[in-house]
Amino acid sequence: MDCLFCKIIAGEIPSAKVFENDSVYAFRDIAPQAPVHILVVPKAHITSADAVCAENSAYVAKIFEAIPEIAKNEGLTNGYRVITNCGEDACQTVKHLHFHILGGKQLQGQMG
Ligand code: AMP
Ligand code: ZN
């Protein structure tokens, strides 16, 4: 499958990994928008939040179990933002579900 994040998970494209388990892979965003900018992805190809359903939602639970652990490892004790862009109107550029963790500075209220 011609999916950038599937290739990253498979190790075919290099990434700066920060976390991995059976269901979840996390790595540093190549174009960071904050001092800490990490992408957390399921190890199954789910195209976006809009494709989450009863059959694959366990991956989302696993991602949200990993997020506090990643945040702790990154020293984000003062808070952080978790974002997923879904579809064209949200400017989703990679069609493999991913959650951005942004932190390490006071973030502004840029919600749209
Ligand atoms: P989105 O716009 O929500 O689809 O986010 C896609 C993100 O993937 C962007 O923040 C990009 O900077 C990031 N990205 C694209 N290619 C790579 C890559 N090879 N390694 C790490 N992050 C990437
Ligand atoms: Zn994929």
Side-chain angles (χ1 to χ4, degrees):
M1 188 186 296
D2 191 24
C3 169
L4 175 63
F5 289 173
C6 281
K7 288 177 180 166
I8 284 178
I9 293 161
E12 294 165 13
I13 291 174
S15 66
K17 179 175 82 173
V18 298
F19 179 92
E20 182 174 18
N21 65 20
D22 285 352
S23 305
V24 178
Y25 191 85
F27 53 102
R28 296 194 191 282
D29 196 292
I30 205 166
Q33 305 297 307
V36 175
H37 187 172
I38 290 165
L39 302 174
V40 192
V41 307
K43 283 191 171 177
H45 183 82
I46 301 168
T47 53
S48 76
D50 198 51
V52 174
C53 61
E55 284 68 40
N56 62 26
S57 62
Y59 281 100
V60 180
K62 293 290 185 185
I63 285 170
F64 275 83
E65 289 170 20
I67 284 172
E69 193 172 330
I70 295 165
K72 188 176 180 197
N73 290 343
E74 295 293 322
L76 299 178
T77 54
N78 206 41
Y80 53 92
R81 184 171 286 162
V82 179
I83 295 173
T84 190
N85 294 318
C86 179
E88 298 304 318
D89 278 3
C91 305
Q92 182 184 2
T93 58
V94 180
K95 309 302 191 225
H96 181 127
L97 178 64
H98 53 282
F99 293 86
H100 300 254
I101 300 175
L102 293 156
K105 69 171 185 181
Q106 177 62 59
L107 300 167
Q108 302 305 307
Q110 297 165 342
M111 297 300 285

